[in-house]
Amino acid sequence: MSASYEDEWRARFGETTGVPQDAPEVPWLRQLLRRLTHRRYSDRPVAEPLLRLLLAGAVSASSKSDFQQATVIRVDERARRDRLAALVPDMPWIGKAPVFLVFCGDARRLERLGELRGHPADNGKLEGFFNATVDAALVLQSFILAAETAGLGCCPISVIRNHPDAVAEILDLPDKVFPLAGLCVGYPAAEGHISMRLPLEATLHTDCYDDSHLDDAVTAYDLRRDARYSLPREQQRQPEVFGYASLYGWSEDKARQATRPEGQDFPTYLRARGFTMD
Ligand SMILES: Cc1cc2nc3c(=O)[nH]c(=O)nc-3n(C[C@H](O)[C@H](O)[C@H](O)COP(=O)(O)O)c2cc1C
């Protein structure tokens, strides 16, 4: 059976250019095209069997070399959660979400296996860090998609990496284990808004890399996004440095945001925790 994804395409990209015709009907793809982050949750608890099932689904993600270098920490204890939430007061959803998980890259477990089996190896080089990062990211995204499929809403929280030492202390993280992101989970309290994505002409290249049309693609994307939702003037970043823009599009917002790098303490944290990054 062939199907039209025009509505979902428009929701995701703000236009229907390039929407595939006569594609097969896959209901989950409709949901994927309409997925979104949720930051407000109802009081309805997430049943324990469902949560366990979702975690089992999450760790079913692909894993580099089958090394399985992700560890998830469920933060159930109120005092620990409150301490994590206090690190980021402008994101109250960290403390309020019915469930809070922390997805960690875990380069330690592989080293422990080496010790247990008498073949010690250093897993603190860039490759070890990178593999653990990718594994943890795949488990995180698998959890999110599984949870959304079950009607839940999620919000990843990478800002905890701006406070790596405090997070490690709160969660008793050992060397070679690092927080990738927290995750708020709960039943959504509001419908929310689909965040438009760049068109495939910008993010999908054929045969070789080619970003020669980036300027035009991004300018058109900015206009589409702005037509759906204009960022209010008071949300323009650093007007004291950059002034106020009459059209404050996504690209202006992200370019300004990137001038203020985050996670400055993270490299020091990683080196202190045994990652040489060689
Ligand atoms: C790795 C990662 C870290 C994120 N960290 C945060 C965060 O610290 N706080 C937050 O409110 N949202 C966070 N988000 C959510 C993004 O802001 C959101 O995914 C993005 O705006 C796109 O929106 P969408 O998921 O609704 O499409 C994070 C998302 C990812 C993938």
Side-chain angles (χ1 to χ4, degrees):
M1 187 172 62
S2 72
S4 164
Y5 291 83
E6 237 176 75
D7 290 348
E8 288 78 9
W9 206 267
R10 191 177 293 105
R12 177 56 72 208
F13 299 111
E15 60 170 355
T16 53
T17 310
V19 60
Q21 302 298 324
D22 299 326
E25 171 59 32
V26 185
W28 186 71
L29 283 179
R30 294 188 187 281
Q31 180 202 315
L32 187 57
L33 286 164
R34 288 185 177 277
R35 68 150 301 282
L36 56 122
T37 291
H38 284 280
R39 297 182 176 83
R40 288 178 49 223
Y41 313 96
S42 73
D43 293 335
R44 182 179 167 193
V46 181
E48 184 62 28
L50 173 61
L51 183 57
R52 235 180 133 66
L53 190 61
L54 295 174
L55 287 163
V59 298
S60 305
S62 315
S63 166
K64 154 74 183 160
S65 293
D66 199 13
F67 282 152
Q68 307 186 43
Q69 297 191 86
T71 292
V72 184
I73 299 181
R74 278 180 68 164
V75 187
D76 288 349
E77 201 183 283
R78 194 64 243 176
R80 288 188 208 250
R81 171 88 84 91
D82 288 344
R83 289 178 67 200
L84 287 171
L87 296 174
V88 197
D90 60 338
M91 294 188 184
W93 40 95
I94 299 174
K96 289 184 179 164
V99 173
F100 192 73
L101 307 169
V102 179
F103 289 73
C104 298
D106 188 340
R108 167 187 164 94
R109 192 156 46 230
L110 190 58
E111 286 195 354
R112 291 209 61 209
L113 298 182
E115 286 158 18
L116 288 170
R117 298 294 169 247
H119 320 301
D122 173 17
N123 195 30
K125 300 191 170 137
L126 180 62
E127 182 71 9
F129 170 72
F130 195 69
N131 289 339
T133 303
V134 172
D135 270 15
L138 293 175
V139 170
L140 169 69
Q141 181 68 95
S142 298
F143 184 96
I144 292 171
L145 296 180
E148 290 172 350
T149 304
L152 291 157
C154 302
C155 180
I157 303 292
S158 60
V159 286
I160 60 169
R161 275 195 292 108
N162 294 341
H163 312 276
D165 289 311
V167 172
E169 202 254 310
I170 294 167
L171 301 178
D172 295 332
L173 299 186
D175 281 2
K176 306 251 170 82
V177 177
F178 57 92
L180 177 94
L183 189 72
C184 302
V185 186
Y187 287 94
E191 210 174 302
H193 302 282
I194 296 170
S195 170
M196 209 183 277
R197 289 293 190 269
L198 286 165
L200 288 183
E201 66 178 299
T203 53
L204 170 70
H205 306 184
T206 302
D207 292 329
C208 62
Y209 192 91
D210 176 10
D211 66 355
S212 51
H213 302 294
L214 182 68
D215 192 352
D216 289 347
V218 166
T219 302
Y221 169 70
D222 280 343
L223 291 171
R224 282 196 300 278
R225 250 182 105 122
D226 189 69
R228 185 181 290 176
Y229 176 72
S230 288
L231 275 169
R233 187 176 157 88
E234 61 275 14
Q235 282 182 25
Q236 294 196 15
R237 294 175 203 260
Q238 302 180 70
E240 68 288 356
V241 180
F242 302 110
Y244 285 99
S246 52
L247 173 70
Y248 187 77
W250 171 85
S251 60
E252 177 67 23
D253 184 54
K254 295 303 141 191
R256 289 188 185 192
Q257 186 177 358
T259 63
R260 286 228 168 126
E262 283 189 273
Q264 273 134 321
D265 294 339
F266 199 47
T268 310
Y269 167 87
L270 291 172
R271 284 193 195 95
R273 301 286 173 142
F275 287 101
T276 57
M277 300 290 177
D278 294 337

mmCIF file of all heavy atoms in Angstrom, residues 86-121:
data_model
loop_
_atom_site.group_PDB
_atom_site.id
_atom_site.type_symbol
_atom_site.label_atom_id
_atom_site.label_comp_id
_atom_site.label_asym_id
_atom_site.label_seq_id
_atom_site.Cartn_x
_atom_site.Cartn_y
_atom_site.Cartn_z
ATOM 1 N N ALA A 86 19.462 21.396 41.179
ATOM 2 C CA ALA A 86 19.968 22.682 41.682
ATOM 3 C C ALA A 86 21.142 23.196 40.844
ATOM 4 O O ALA A 86 21.438 24.395 40.839
ATOM 5 C CB ALA A 86 20.389 22.533 43.147
ATOM 6 N N LEU A 87 21.808 22.295 40.108
ATOM 7 C CA LEU A 87 22.928 22.725 39.265
ATOM 8 C C LEU A 87 22.450 23.578 38.091
ATOM 9 O O LEU A 87 23.193 24.375 37.534
ATOM 10 C CB LEU A 87 23.673 21.500 38.699
ATOM 11 C CG LEU A 87 24.363 20.578 39.703
ATOM 12 C CD1 LEU A 87 24.906 19.343 38.985
ATOM 13 C CD2 LEU A 87 25.492 21.317 40.419
ATOM 14 N N VAL A 88 21.180 23.368 37.691
ATOM 15 C CA VAL A 88 20.649 24.057 36.505
ATOM 16 C C VAL A 88 19.283 24.653 36.843
ATOM 17 O O VAL A 88 18.241 24.154 36.388
ATOM 18 C CB VAL A 88 20.508 23.080 35.309
ATOM 19 C CG1 VAL A 88 20.359 23.857 34.009
ATOM 20 C CG2 VAL A 88 21.671 22.110 35.211
ATOM 21 N N PRO A 89 19.268 25.727 37.627
ATOM 22 C CA PRO A 89 17.970 26.253 38.110
ATOM 23 C C PRO A 89 17.050 26.729 36.983
ATOM 24 O O PRO A 89 15.826 26.732 37.171
ATOM 25 C CB PRO A 89 18.361 27.428 39.016
ATOM 26 C CG PRO A 89 19.838 27.457 39.080
ATOM 27 C CD PRO A 89 20.420 26.440 38.159
ATOM 28 N N ASP A 90 17.601 27.096 35.821
ATOM 29 C CA ASP A 90 16.715 27.586 34.756
ATOM 30 C C ASP A 90 16.091 26.452 33.938
ATOM 31 O O ASP A 90 15.406 26.714 32.945
ATOM 32 C CB ASP A 90 17.444 28.593 33.843
ATOM 33 C CG ASP A 90 18.648 27.973 33.171
ATOM 34 O OD1 ASP A 90 19.161 26.960 33.685
ATOM 35 O OD2 ASP A 90 19.076 28.486 32.123
ATOM 36 N N MET A 91 16.295 25.214 34.355
ATOM 37 C CA MET A 91 15.614 24.083 33.694
ATOM 38 C C MET A 91 14.877 23.270 34.758
ATOM 39 O O MET A 91 15.306 22.147 35.118
ATOM 40 C CB MET A 91 16.615 23.209 32.932
ATOM 41 C CG MET A 91 17.241 23.938 31.769
ATOM 42 S SD MET A 91 18.235 22.854 30.723
ATOM 43 C CE MET A 91 18.889 24.071 29.570
ATOM 44 N N PRO A 92 13.750 23.816 35.264
ATOM 45 C CA PRO A 92 13.079 23.153 36.399
ATOM 46 C C PRO A 92 12.552 21.767 36.071
ATOM 47 O O PRO A 92 12.263 20.981 36.970
ATOM 48 C CB PRO A 92 11.928 24.123 36.727
ATOM 49 C CG PRO A 92 11.779 25.026 35.544
ATOM 50 C CD PRO A 92 13.109 25.070 34.854
ATOM 51 N N TRP A 93 12.454 21.437 34.756
ATOM 52 C CA TRP A 93 11.962 20.108 34.382
ATOM 53 C C TRP A 93 12.908 18.999 34.874
ATOM 54 O O TRP A 93 12.486 17.859 35.045
ATOM 55 C CB TRP A 93 11.713 19.999 32.876
ATOM 56 C CG TRP A 93 12.726 20.649 31.972
ATOM 57 C CD1 TRP A 93 13.785 20.044 31.386
ATOM 58 C CD2 TRP A 93 12.755 22.020 31.536
ATOM 59 N NE1 TRP A 93 14.482 20.953 30.611
ATOM 60 C CE2 TRP A 93 13.872 22.172 30.690
ATOM 61 C CE3 TRP A 93 11.950 23.140 31.794
ATOM 62 C CZ2 TRP A 93 14.212 23.387 30.093
ATOM 63 C CZ3 TRP A 93 12.288 24.350 31.206
ATOM 64 C CH2 TRP A 93 13.399 24.460 30.365
ATOM 65 N N ILE A 94 14.159 19.336 35.183
ATOM 66 C CA ILE A 94 15.090 18.309 35.682
ATOM 67 C C ILE A 94 14.601 17.769 37.027
ATOM 68 O O ILE A 94 14.632 16.567 37.279
ATOM 69 C CB ILE A 94 16.519 18.894 35.827
ATOM 70 C CG1 ILE A 94 17.039 19.364 34.465
ATOM 71 C CG2 ILE A 94 17.465 17.878 36.457
ATOM 72 C CD1 ILE A 94 18.374 20.095 34.508
ATOM 73 N N GLY A 95 14.135 18.663 37.873
ATOM 74 C CA GLY A 95 13.654 18.233 39.191
ATOM 75 C C GLY A 95 12.232 17.715 39.163
ATOM 76 O O GLY A 95 11.836 16.917 40.012
ATOM 77 N N LYS A 96 11.448 18.163 38.174
ATOM 78 C CA LYS A 96 10.010 17.865 38.194
ATOM 79 C C LYS A 96 9.605 16.625 37.412
ATOM 80 O O LYS A 96 8.529 16.074 37.642
ATOM 81 C CB LYS A 96 9.233 19.066 37.640
ATOM 82 C CG LYS A 96 9.233 20.253 38.588
ATOM 83 C CD LYS A 96 8.369 21.364 38.022
ATOM 84 C CE LYS A 96 8.329 22.548 38.976
ATOM 85 N NZ LYS A 96 7.836 23.761 38.327
ATOM 86 N N ALA A 97 10.389 16.198 36.471
ATOM 87 C CA ALA A 97 9.989 15.062 35.617
ATOM 88 C C ALA A 97 9.758 13.823 36.481
ATOM 89 O O ALA A 97 10.502 13.575 37.432
ATOM 90 C CB ALA A 97 11.073 14.778 34.586
ATOM 91 N N PRO A 98 8.737 13.025 36.168
ATOM 92 C CA PRO A 98 8.486 11.819 36.966
ATOM 93 C C PRO A 98 9.682 10.865 37.024
ATOM 94 O O PRO A 98 9.912 10.212 38.022
ATOM 95 C CB PRO A 98 7.295 11.165 36.247
ATOM 96 C CG PRO A 98 6.587 12.299 35.588
ATOM 97 C CD PRO A 98 7.661 13.276 35.191
ATOM 98 N N VAL A 99 10.446 10.800 35.927
ATOM 99 C CA VAL A 99 11.627 9.916 35.894
ATOM 100 C C VAL A 99 12.810 10.737 35.417
ATOM 101 O O VAL A 99 12.676 11.572 34.515
ATOM 102 C CB VAL A 99 11.391 8.737 34.914
ATOM 103 C CG1 VAL A 99 12.662 7.905 34.747
ATOM 104 C CG2 VAL A 99 10.228 7.864 35.388
ATOM 105 N N PHE A 100 13.964 10.503 36.038
ATOM 106 C CA PHE A 100 15.180 11.154 35.543
ATOM 107 C C PHE A 100 16.294 10.108 35.431
ATOM 108 O O PHE A 100 16.584 9.383 36.385
ATOM 109 C CB PHE A 100 15.626 12.300 36.452
ATOM 110 C CG PHE A 100 16.695 13.162 35.835
ATOM 111 C CD1 PHE A 100 16.385 14.035 34.803
ATOM 112 C CD2 PHE A 100 18.013 13.076 36.268
ATOM 113 C CE1 PHE A 100 17.369 14.818 34.200
ATOM 114 C CE2 PHE A 100 19.006 13.860 35.679
ATOM 115 C CZ PHE A 100 18.675 14.737 34.649
ATOM 116 N N LEU A 101 16.850 10.032 34.243
ATOM 117 C CA LEU A 101 17.922 9.073 33.959
ATOM 118 C C LEU A 101 19.175 9.842 33.562
ATOM 119 O O LEU A 101 19.065 10.937 33.012
ATOM 120 C CB LEU A 101 17.517 8.164 32.790
ATOM 121 C CG LEU A 101 16.168 7.437 32.910
ATOM 122 C CD1 LEU A 101 15.794 6.799 31.569
ATOM 123 C CD2 LEU A 101 16.238 6.374 34.003
ATOM 124 N N VAL A 102 20.321 9.267 33.830
ATOM 125 C CA VAL A 102 21.562 9.857 33.319
ATOM 126 C C VAL A 102 22.267 8.803 32.464
ATOM 127 O O VAL A 102 22.562 7.697 32.937
ATOM 128 C CB VAL A 102 22.483 10.348 34.450
ATOM 129 C CG1 VAL A 102 23.774 10.921 33.860
ATOM 130 C CG2 VAL A 102 21.778 11.416 35.294
ATOM 131 N N PHE A 103 22.469 9.148 31.201
ATOM 132 C CA PHE A 103 23.127 8.251 30.245
ATOM 133 C C PHE A 103 24.621 8.565 30.267
ATOM 134 O O PHE A 103 25.020 9.707 30.030
ATOM 135 C CB PHE A 103 22.536 8.438 28.846
ATOM 136 C CG PHE A 103 21.134 7.895 28.746
ATOM 137 C CD1 PHE A 103 20.081 8.570 29.349
ATOM 138 C CD2 PHE A 103 20.883 6.703 28.101
ATOM 139 C CE1 PHE A 103 18.782 8.064 29.293
ATOM 140 C CE2 PHE A 103 19.591 6.187 28.033
ATOM 141 C CZ PHE A 103 18.543 6.870 28.637
ATOM 142 N N CYS A 104 25.409 7.536 30.583
ATOM 143 C CA CYS A 104 26.848 7.741 30.726
ATOM 144 C C CYS A 104 27.619 6.968 29.667
ATOM 145 O O CYS A 104 27.254 5.822 29.329
ATOM 146 C CB CYS A 104 27.316 7.241 32.092
ATOM 147 S SG CYS A 104 26.558 8.108 33.475
ATOM 148 N N GLY A 105 28.685 7.578 29.168
ATOM 149 C CA GLY A 105 29.669 6.838 28.399
ATOM 150 C C GLY A 105 30.522 6.081 29.404
ATOM 151 O O GLY A 105 30.957 6.653 30.414
ATOM 152 N N ASP A 106 30.756 4.800 29.157
ATOM 153 C CA ASP A 106 31.422 3.962 30.157
ATOM 154 C C ASP A 106 32.606 3.237 29.519
ATOM 155 O O ASP A 106 32.458 2.139 28.983
ATOM 156 C CB ASP A 106 30.408 2.960 30.727
ATOM 157 C CG ASP A 106 30.974 2.180 31.902
ATOM 158 O OD1 ASP A 106 32.212 2.131 32.039
ATOM 159 O OD2 ASP A 106 30.176 1.611 32.668
ATOM 160 N N ALA A 107 33.776 3.881 29.601
ATOM 161 C CA ALA A 107 34.983 3.247 29.067
ATOM 162 C C ALA A 107 35.654 2.381 30.128
ATOM 163 O O ALA A 107 36.673 1.740 29.866
ATOM 164 C CB ALA A 107 35.945 4.320 28.565
ATOM 165 N N ARG A 108 35.081 2.356 31.315
ATOM 166 C CA ARG A 108 35.671 1.609 32.437
ATOM 167 C C ARG A 108 35.401 0.112 32.328
ATOM 168 O O ARG A 108 36.272 -0.707 32.606
ATOM 169 C CB ARG A 108 35.081 2.160 33.742
ATOM 170 C CG ARG A 108 35.314 1.330 34.988
ATOM 171 C CD ARG A 108 34.526 1.935 36.134
ATOM 172 N NE ARG A 108 34.357 1.066 37.271
ATOM 173 C CZ ARG A 108 35.158 1.048 38.332
ATOM 174 N NH1 ARG A 108 36.204 1.821 38.366
ATOM 175 N NH2 ARG A 108 34.906 0.247 39.356
ATOM 176 N N ARG A 109 34.170 -0.217 31.917
ATOM 177 C CA ARG A 109 33.777 -1.638 31.958
ATOM 178 C C ARG A 109 34.710 -2.505 31.110
ATOM 179 O O ARG A 109 35.109 -3.590 31.512
ATOM 180 C CB ARG A 109 32.323 -1.775 31.505
ATOM 181 C CG ARG A 109 31.736 -3.146 31.783
ATOM 182 C CD ARG A 109 30.212 -3.126 31.880
ATOM 183 N NE ARG A 109 29.604 -2.363 30.813
ATOM 184 C CZ ARG A 109 28.690 -1.409 31.001
ATOM 185 N NH1 ARG A 109 28.286 -1.099 32.215
ATOM 186 N NH2 ARG A 109 28.188 -0.764 29.973
ATOM 187 N N LEU A 110 35.089 -1.986 29.936
ATOM 188 C CA LEU A 110 35.971 -2.758 29.049
ATOM 189 C C LEU A 110 37.336 -2.971 29.703
ATOM 190 O O LEU A 110 37.933 -4.056 29.599
ATOM 191 C CB LEU A 110 36.120 -2.020 27.710
ATOM 192 C CG LEU A 110 36.807 -2.759 26.576
ATOM 193 C CD1 LEU A 110 36.104 -4.066 26.244
ATOM 194 C CD2 LEU A 110 36.845 -1.873 25.322
ATOM 195 N N GLU A 111 37.823 -1.952 30.420
ATOM 196 C CA GLU A 111 39.099 -2.109 31.132
ATOM 197 C C GLU A 111 38.957 -3.151 32.239
ATOM 198 O O GLU A 111 39.864 -3.948 32.488
ATOM 199 C CB GLU A 111 39.540 -0.768 31.718
ATOM 200 C CG GLU A 111 40.048 0.192 30.664
ATOM 201 C CD GLU A 111 40.820 1.353 31.252
ATOM 202 O OE1 GLU A 111 40.869 1.483 32.509
ATOM 203 O OE2 GLU A 111 41.375 2.134 30.462
ATOM 204 N N ARG A 112 37.803 -3.146 32.901
ATOM 205 C CA ARG A 112 37.589 -4.139 33.969
ATOM 206 C C ARG A 112 37.547 -5.553 33.393
ATOM 207 O O ARG A 112 38.044 -6.491 34.003
ATOM 208 C CB ARG A 112 36.300 -3.834 34.727
ATOM 209 C CG ARG A 112 36.389 -2.550 35.562
ATOM 210 C CD ARG A 112 35.494 -2.596 36.770
ATOM 211 N NE ARG A 112 35.839 -3.677 37.665
ATOM 212 C CZ ARG A 112 34.968 -4.299 38.457
ATOM 213 N NH1 ARG A 112 33.700 -3.944 38.451
ATOM 214 N NH2 ARG A 112 35.354 -5.273 39.248
ATOM 215 N N LEU A 113 36.972 -5.681 32.211
ATOM 216 C CA LEU A 113 36.956 -6.999 31.564
ATOM 217 C C LEU A 113 38.390 -7.471 31.312
ATOM 218 O O LEU A 113 38.724 -8.641 31.543
ATOM 219 C CB LEU A 113 36.206 -6.955 30.221
ATOM 220 C CG LEU A 113 34.731 -6.569 30.235
ATOM 221 C CD1 LEU A 113 34.160 -6.640 28.826
ATOM 222 C CD2 LEU A 113 33.949 -7.470 31.172
ATOM 223 N N GLY A 114 39.230 -6.525 30.848
ATOM 224 C CA GLY A 114 40.634 -6.852 30.589
ATOM 225 C C GLY A 114 41.336 -7.325 31.858
ATOM 226 O O GLY A 114 42.102 -8.294 31.848
ATOM 227 N N GLU A 115 41.034 -6.634 32.967
ATOM 228 C CA GLU A 115 41.645 -7.033 34.241
ATOM 229 C C GLU A 115 41.139 -8.407 34.664
ATOM 230 O O GLU A 115 41.892 -9.285 35.077
ATOM 231 C CB GLU A 115 41.307 -5.999 35.325
ATOM 232 C CG GLU A 115 42.092 -4.702 35.181
ATOM 233 C CD GLU A 115 41.406 -3.530 35.884
ATOM 234 O OE1 GLU A 115 40.536 -3.768 36.746
ATOM 235 O OE2 GLU A 115 41.735 -2.382 35.525
ATOM 236 N N LEU A 116 39.815 -8.602 34.536
ATOM 237 C CA LEU A 116 39.213 -9.881 34.956
ATOM 238 C C LEU A 116 39.763 -11.049 34.153
ATOM 239 O O LEU A 116 39.951 -12.146 34.674
ATOM 240 C CB LEU A 116 37.684 -9.831 34.774
ATOM 241 C CG LEU A 116 36.903 -8.953 35.753
ATOM 242 C CD1 LEU A 116 35.454 -8.818 35.304
ATOM 243 C CD2 LEU A 116 36.972 -9.540 37.156
ATOM 244 N N ARG A 117 40.030 -10.817 32.885
ATOM 245 C CA ARG A 117 40.483 -11.912 32.015
ATOM 246 C C ARG A 117 41.987 -11.919 31.817
ATOM 247 O O ARG A 117 42.526 -12.688 31.019
ATOM 248 C CB ARG A 117 39.784 -11.812 30.640
ATOM 249 C CG ARG A 117 38.285 -11.938 30.699
ATOM 250 C CD ARG A 117 37.844 -13.345 31.166
ATOM 251 N NE ARG A 117 36.429 -13.373 31.475
ATOM 252 C CZ ARG A 117 35.911 -13.554 32.695
ATOM 253 N NH1 ARG A 117 36.703 -13.755 33.730
ATOM 254 N NH2 ARG A 117 34.607 -13.536 32.894
ATOM 255 N N GLY A 118 42.682 -11.011 32.531
ATOM 256 C CA GLY A 118 44.146 -11.014 32.466
ATOM 257 C C GLY A 118 44.731 -10.442 31.192
ATOM 258 O O GLY A 118 45.854 -10.771 30.817
ATOM 259 N N HIS A 119 43.971 -9.571 30.516
ATOM 260 C CA HIS A 119 44.499 -8.899 29.316
ATOM 261 C C HIS A 119 44.296 -7.389 29.464
ATOM 262 O O HIS A 119 43.475 -6.807 28.761
ATOM 263 C CB HIS A 119 43.767 -9.342 28.040
ATOM 264 C CG HIS A 119 43.455 -10.795 27.973
ATOM 265 N ND1 HIS A 119 44.436 -11.762 28.033
ATOM 266 C CD2 HIS A 119 42.279 -11.460 27.856
ATOM 267 C CE1 HIS A 119 43.872 -12.964 27.950
ATOM 268 N NE2 HIS A 119 42.567 -12.803 27.849
ATOM 269 N N PRO A 120 44.983 -6.763 30.407
ATOM 270 C CA PRO A 120 44.720 -5.348 30.661
ATOM 271 C C PRO A 120 44.981 -4.484 29.436
ATOM 272 O O PRO A 120 45.911 -4.753 28.670
ATOM 273 C CB PRO A 120 45.682 -4.986 31.805
ATOM 274 C CG PRO A 120 46.676 -6.096 31.859
ATOM 275 C CD PRO A 120 46.060 -7.309 31.241
ATOM 276 N N ALA A 121 44.145 -3.484 29.216
ATOM 277 C CA ALA A 121 44.307 -2.577 28.075
ATOM 278 C C ALA A 121 43.807 -1.195 28.483
ATOM 279 O O ALA A 121 42.873 -1.075 29.278
ATOM 280 C CB ALA A 121 43.519 -3.089 26.873
#
